[in-house]
Amino acid sequence: MKDTVKNEKLNKWIREVADLCTPDDVYICNGSKDEYRLMIDKLIKSGIAIPLTKRPNSFLFRSDPSDVARVEDNTYISTSSREEAGPTNNWIAPGDLKKTMMDLYKGCMRGRTMYVIPFSMGPIGSPISKIGIEISDSPYVVVNMHIMTRVSSRVLELLGTDGDFIPCLHSVGAPLAPGQKDTKWPCAPIEKKYISHFPEENLIWSYGSGYGGNALLGKKCLALRIASAMARREGWMAEHMLILRLTNPEGKQYHIAAAFPSACGKTNLAMMQPSIAGWKCECIGDDIAWMKVGADGRLYAINPENGFFGVAPGTSYSTNPMAMDTLKENVIFTNCALTDDGDVWWEGKDGDEPAHAIDWKGKDWTPESPTDAAHANARFTAPASQCPVICKDWEKPEGVPIDIFIFGGRRTGVVPLVYEAFDWEHGVFLGATAASETTAANIGAVGNLRRDPFAMKPFCGYNMGDYFKHWFDMGDKLGSKAPRVFYVNWFRKSQDGKFLWPGFSDNSRVLKWMCERVDGRVGAHKTPIGLLPNEGDLDLSGLHLSADSMKELMSIDLTAWKAEIPDIEKHFSTFGKRMPERLKKQFQRFIDALGKHV
Ligand code: OXD
Ligand code: MN
């Protein structure tokens, strides 16, 4: 260990964790292809990874049926006061939480290997990147981190003897007694799962889950919860946003960052192929954006991740062909179904359902089975570099200049297809009041409407009232160079329960309107909720959509909007003194505007 790890803080931490968790072995990862192969071979041998004959170097994993998604109820922002974590986060005092978790960590890696994973969020060595070290007892975590982050011994070299890093401690919470046979997906019961963040000391402790954002700590824990708190302190932004580049037929580029809650189509939009002639879309990132003000006063974004951890069900050549092409090789699938010819399958994939498959729980499945073959939150982990439309500038250290912000969610009714904020302050109001129906990305009920401000409710590492203020502060800094703000809803349904908008590649029509708004080429009309496209300005050429559907998509039902007021009031009241006056003013303006239209 001494040979590879020269960093004093890291050496000390590794020793402390090893003493506490008492693993059988300690292994320092180097991020090489050989290492990946070695880990996968071990996982195959123990029957945990299933090689897919149809996809080179690709494997299927099945989780424990209790460990299938993020666990927001067990996720903590542990600041010195409850007030600092705010009303949207679970809170336990750091001393108490650390005591509980130290007791859990004691001996928790017995019978296992402790992996030390040096990784960089953002290109290694870039000034905007952050170094993390994840210690984990899960080989599944190691192979996923290889894809989702930049794992490399170069990270250790960069750290030198005294460089700083973000410690991320993870255990599946399932020690093995001597001779005890391991399960295929070890994890702890729900009451022992803790996903804990200590933003005042840039520290992450996760225990009991091996799944996705609970365990791959570079993603939600570091790149959003810890990074959002750092960003506020340091004057930048860490957001739950995809980043894409749109190029118009004249070759002009626009960069768009869009925030939608989990499993609401960020990956689909990030890789969307426009249905309108002459427009081109390239992907920069599908989940997280780190943004800083550049020397020219504009806001520049990078994608800190190295891969996609996307929702498989619903992904197909008709919804997201570029994702399908990304998934041809070198992919880890989790909780998908296995077909008899050695491929993965999920609900919504192209072609006929298989006549027989093994479902995500490892049981025989046929189309007559009463349950789905793949779990609704089944995932693929794939290298971003394999995406056929990955932007050539996706790893540019300085990032790309953002022209447009989009907020949105999954709303069956009320919210029209698209509208624009009057200005930045109004845009902050739109982000702060964003609401969406819940999805399977979290353990819990699906389909319930909840306020999910800026799609950051599960990911903001400090008081959300202060986060709103940070958005106003960023607007002040950016002034006239601030991105324009829009709100979209791809999910509005007709009275008879059918989606009104075709979505996917046709969302390019909406993005085109936004770009033309930026260029001042099209107008918009003022409504109480924002600026809506003038008739004829949305490019609907070649789209078979009835005038009635279009009208319904764009309609504003004032009674329904007024019915939102008490819920927004309740939502805002939870922030008490931390609620910015500027946001209260925007809310009053909204109420007044609706009042004028009785
Ligand atoms: C994700 C999520 O995995 O938001 O990206 O749940
Ligand atoms: Mn996400």
PDB file of all heavy atoms in Angstrom, residues 42-58:
ATOM      1  N   LYS A  42     -14.018 -12.657 -11.611  1.00  0.00           N
ATOM      2  CA  LYS A  42     -14.350 -13.130 -10.257  1.00  0.00           C
ATOM      3  C   LYS A  42     -15.864 -13.141 -10.059  1.00  0.00           C
ATOM      4  O   LYS A  42     -16.426 -14.068  -9.492  1.00  0.00           O
ATOM      5  CB  LYS A  42     -13.732 -12.171  -9.231  1.00  0.00           C
ATOM      6  CG  LYS A  42     -12.439 -12.649  -8.651  1.00  0.00           C
ATOM      7  CD  LYS A  42     -12.261 -11.950  -7.314  1.00  0.00           C
ATOM      8  CE  LYS A  42     -10.828 -11.711  -7.004  1.00  0.00           C
ATOM      9  NZ  LYS A  42     -10.607 -10.697  -6.011  1.00  0.00           N
ATOM     10  N   LEU A  43     -16.501 -12.074 -10.542  1.00  0.00           N
ATOM     11  CA  LEU A  43     -17.964 -11.957 -10.372  1.00  0.00           C
ATOM     12  C   LEU A  43     -18.700 -13.014 -11.186  1.00  0.00           C
ATOM     13  O   LEU A  43     -19.744 -13.523 -10.771  1.00  0.00           O
ATOM     14  CB  LEU A  43     -18.426 -10.539 -10.763  1.00  0.00           C
ATOM     15  CG  LEU A  43     -18.057  -9.455  -9.740  1.00  0.00           C
ATOM     16  CD1 LEU A  43     -18.072  -8.070 -10.367  1.00  0.00           C
ATOM     17  CD2 LEU A  43     -19.007  -9.495  -8.546  1.00  0.00           C
ATOM     18  N   ILE A  44     -18.111 -13.372 -12.337  1.00  0.00           N
ATOM     19  CA  ILE A  44     -18.731 -14.439 -13.155  1.00  0.00           C
ATOM     20  C   ILE A  44     -18.589 -15.776 -12.427  1.00  0.00           C
ATOM     21  O   ILE A  44     -19.538 -16.541 -12.306  1.00  0.00           O
ATOM     22  CB  ILE A  44     -18.073 -14.513 -14.557  1.00  0.00           C
ATOM     23  CG1 ILE A  44     -18.360 -13.246 -15.359  1.00  0.00           C
ATOM     24  CG2 ILE A  44     -18.584 -15.743 -15.323  1.00  0.00           C
ATOM     25  CD1 ILE A  44     -17.595 -13.140 -16.673  1.00  0.00           C
ATOM     26  N   LYS A  45     -17.378 -16.002 -11.922  1.00  0.00           N
ATOM     27  CA  LYS A  45     -17.088 -17.278 -11.249  1.00  0.00           C
ATOM     28  C   LYS A  45     -18.042 -17.502 -10.078  1.00  0.00           C
ATOM     29  O   LYS A  45     -18.500 -18.615  -9.840  1.00  0.00           O
ATOM     30  CB  LYS A  45     -15.644 -17.252 -10.762  1.00  0.00           C
ATOM     31  CG  LYS A  45     -14.942 -18.541 -11.063  1.00  0.00           C
ATOM     32  CD  LYS A  45     -13.580 -18.581 -10.467  1.00  0.00           C
ATOM     33  CE  LYS A  45     -12.596 -19.061 -11.509  1.00  0.00           C
ATOM     34  NZ  LYS A  45     -11.244 -18.637 -11.175  1.00  0.00           N
ATOM     35  N   SER A  46     -18.341 -16.427  -9.366  1.00  0.00           N
ATOM     36  CA  SER A  46     -19.227 -16.613  -8.206  1.00  0.00           C
ATOM     37  C   SER A  46     -20.708 -16.518  -8.593  1.00  0.00           C
ATOM     38  O   SER A  46     -21.578 -16.493  -7.728  1.00  0.00           O
ATOM     39  CB  SER A  46     -18.871 -15.617  -7.098  1.00  0.00           C
ATOM     40  OG  SER A  46     -18.710 -14.342  -7.649  1.00  0.00           O
ATOM     41  N   GLY A  47     -20.967 -16.457  -9.907  1.00  0.00           N
ATOM     42  CA  GLY A  47     -22.365 -16.502 -10.373  1.00  0.00           C
ATOM     43  C   GLY A  47     -23.110 -15.187 -10.198  1.00  0.00           C
ATOM     44  O   GLY A  47     -24.325 -15.119 -10.347  1.00  0.00           O
ATOM     45  N   ILE A  48     -22.373 -14.113  -9.912  1.00  0.00           N
ATOM     46  CA  ILE A  48     -23.033 -12.815  -9.666  1.00  0.00           C
ATOM     47  C   ILE A  48     -23.224 -12.049 -10.978  1.00  0.00           C
ATOM     48  O   ILE A  48     -24.259 -11.433 -11.199  1.00  0.00           O
ATOM     49  CB  ILE A  48     -22.201 -11.996  -8.644  1.00  0.00           C
ATOM     50  CG1 ILE A  48     -22.158 -12.754  -7.315  1.00  0.00           C
ATOM     51  CG2 ILE A  48     -22.772 -10.597  -8.461  1.00  0.00           C
ATOM     52  CD1 ILE A  48     -21.136 -12.236  -6.336  1.00  0.00           C
ATOM     53  N   ALA A  49     -22.199 -12.108 -11.845  1.00  0.00           N
ATOM     54  CA  ALA A  49     -22.307 -11.458 -13.165  1.00  0.00           C
ATOM     55  C   ALA A  49     -22.641 -12.525 -14.203  1.00  0.00           C
ATOM     56  O   ALA A  49     -22.022 -13.584 -14.232  1.00  0.00           O
ATOM     57  CB  ALA A  49     -20.989 -10.783 -13.524  1.00  0.00           C
ATOM     58  N   ILE A  50     -23.630 -12.232 -15.027  1.00  0.00           N
ATOM     59  CA  ILE A  50     -24.008 -13.180 -16.091  1.00  0.00           C
ATOM     60  C   ILE A  50     -23.553 -12.599 -17.429  1.00  0.00           C
ATOM     61  O   ILE A  50     -24.040 -11.544 -17.852  1.00  0.00           O
ATOM     62  CB  ILE A  50     -25.540 -13.390 -16.098  1.00  0.00           C
ATOM     63  CG1 ILE A  50     -25.998 -13.891 -14.715  1.00  0.00           C
ATOM     64  CG2 ILE A  50     -25.958 -14.337 -17.215  1.00  0.00           C
ATOM     65  CD1 ILE A  50     -27.492 -13.835 -14.504  1.00  0.00           C
ATOM     66  N   PRO A  51     -22.591 -13.264 -18.101  1.00  0.00           N
ATOM     67  CA  PRO A  51     -22.137 -12.738 -19.403  1.00  0.00           C
ATOM     68  C   PRO A  51     -23.263 -12.832 -20.432  1.00  0.00           C
ATOM     69  O   PRO A  51     -24.012 -13.810 -20.433  1.00  0.00           O
ATOM     70  CB  PRO A  51     -20.984 -13.667 -19.787  1.00  0.00           C
ATOM     71  CG  PRO A  51     -20.700 -14.506 -18.587  1.00  0.00           C
ATOM     72  CD  PRO A  51     -21.913 -14.513 -17.727  1.00  0.00           C
ATOM     73  N   LEU A  52     -23.363 -11.832 -21.288  1.00  0.00           N
ATOM     74  CA  LEU A  52     -24.419 -11.819 -22.310  1.00  0.00           C
ATOM     75  C   LEU A  52     -23.808 -12.237 -23.636  1.00  0.00           C
ATOM     76  O   LEU A  52     -22.879 -11.572 -24.123  1.00  0.00           O
ATOM     77  CB  LEU A  52     -25.023 -10.421 -22.418  1.00  0.00           C
ATOM     78  CG  LEU A  52     -25.707  -9.925 -21.142  1.00  0.00           C
ATOM     79  CD1 LEU A  52     -26.045  -8.448 -21.259  1.00  0.00           C
ATOM     80  CD2 LEU A  52     -26.961 -10.730 -20.839  1.00  0.00           C
ATOM     81  N   THR A  53     -24.319 -13.331 -24.208  1.00  0.00           N
ATOM     82  CA  THR A  53     -23.702 -13.810 -25.446  1.00  0.00           C
ATOM     83  C   THR A  53     -23.938 -12.835 -26.596  1.00  0.00           C
ATOM     84  O   THR A  53     -23.151 -12.762 -27.522  1.00  0.00           O
ATOM     85  CB  THR A  53     -24.243 -15.211 -25.816  1.00  0.00           C
ATOM     86  OG1 THR A  53     -25.651 -15.214 -25.589  1.00  0.00           O
ATOM     87  CG2 THR A  53     -23.606 -16.288 -24.995  1.00  0.00           C
ATOM     88  N   LYS A  54     -25.010 -12.062 -26.524  1.00  0.00           N
ATOM     89  CA  LYS A  54     -25.360 -11.165 -27.637  1.00  0.00           C
ATOM     90  C   LYS A  54     -24.614  -9.824 -27.610  1.00  0.00           C
ATOM     91  O   LYS A  54     -24.692  -9.058 -28.571  1.00  0.00           O
ATOM     92  CB  LYS A  54     -26.862 -10.859 -27.590  1.00  0.00           C
ATOM     93  CG  LYS A  54     -27.735 -12.040 -27.916  1.00  0.00           C
ATOM     94  CD  LYS A  54     -27.888 -12.161 -29.412  1.00  0.00           C
ATOM     95  CE  LYS A  54     -28.553 -13.465 -29.757  1.00  0.00           C
ATOM     96  NZ  LYS A  54     -29.041 -13.534 -31.078  1.00  0.00           N
ATOM     97  N   ARG A  55     -23.992  -9.505 -26.488  1.00  0.00           N
ATOM     98  CA  ARG A  55     -23.321  -8.202 -26.386  1.00  0.00           C
ATOM     99  C   ARG A  55     -21.913  -8.398 -25.836  1.00  0.00           C
ATOM    100  O   ARG A  55     -21.761  -8.776 -24.660  1.00  0.00           O
ATOM    101  CB  ARG A  55     -24.104  -7.257 -25.464  1.00  0.00           C
ATOM    102  CG  ARG A  55     -25.420  -6.827 -26.059  1.00  0.00           C
ATOM    103  CD  ARG A  55     -26.310  -6.115 -25.060  1.00  0.00           C
ATOM    104  NE  ARG A  55     -27.683  -6.244 -25.504  1.00  0.00           N
ATOM    105  CZ  ARG A  55     -28.393  -5.269 -26.065  1.00  0.00           C
ATOM    106  NH1 ARG A  55     -27.876  -4.064 -26.188  1.00  0.00           N
ATOM    107  NH2 ARG A  55     -29.614  -5.487 -26.475  1.00  0.00           N
ATOM    108  N   PRO A  56     -20.893  -8.092 -26.655  1.00  0.00           N
ATOM    109  CA  PRO A  56     -19.519  -8.306 -26.198  1.00  0.00           C
ATOM    110  C   PRO A  56     -19.239  -7.556 -24.890  1.00  0.00           C
ATOM    111  O   PRO A  56     -19.685  -6.411 -24.712  1.00  0.00           O
ATOM    112  CB  PRO A  56     -18.670  -7.738 -27.339  1.00  0.00           C
ATOM    113  CG  PRO A  56     -19.582  -7.681 -28.521  1.00  0.00           C
ATOM    114  CD  PRO A  56     -20.981  -7.569 -28.001  1.00  0.00           C
ATOM    115  N   ASN A  57     -18.506  -8.227 -24.013  1.00  0.00           N
ATOM    116  CA  ASN A  57     -18.039  -7.619 -22.766  1.00  0.00           C
ATOM    117  C   ASN A  57     -19.179  -6.960 -21.972  1.00  0.00           C
ATOM    118  O   ASN A  57     -19.009  -5.906 -21.382  1.00  0.00           O
ATOM    119  CB  ASN A  57     -16.933  -6.592 -23.092  1.00  0.00           C
ATOM    120  CG  ASN A  57     -16.179  -6.155 -21.854  1.00  0.00           C
ATOM    121  OD1 ASN A  57     -16.051  -6.920 -20.898  1.00  0.00           O
ATOM    122  ND2 ASN A  57     -15.718  -4.914 -21.846  1.00  0.00           N
ATOM    123  N   SER A  58     -20.347  -7.594 -21.977  1.00  0.00           N
ATOM    124  CA  SER A  58     -21.493  -7.031 -21.252  1.00  0.00           C
ATOM    125  C   SER A  58     -22.063  -8.077 -20.303  1.00  0.00           C
ATOM    126  O   SER A  58     -22.039  -9.268 -20.604  1.00  0.00           O
ATOM    127  CB  SER A  58     -22.571  -6.574 -22.235  1.00  0.00           C
ATOM    128  OG  SER A  58     -22.055  -5.565 -23.066  1.00  0.00           O
TER     129      SER A  58
END
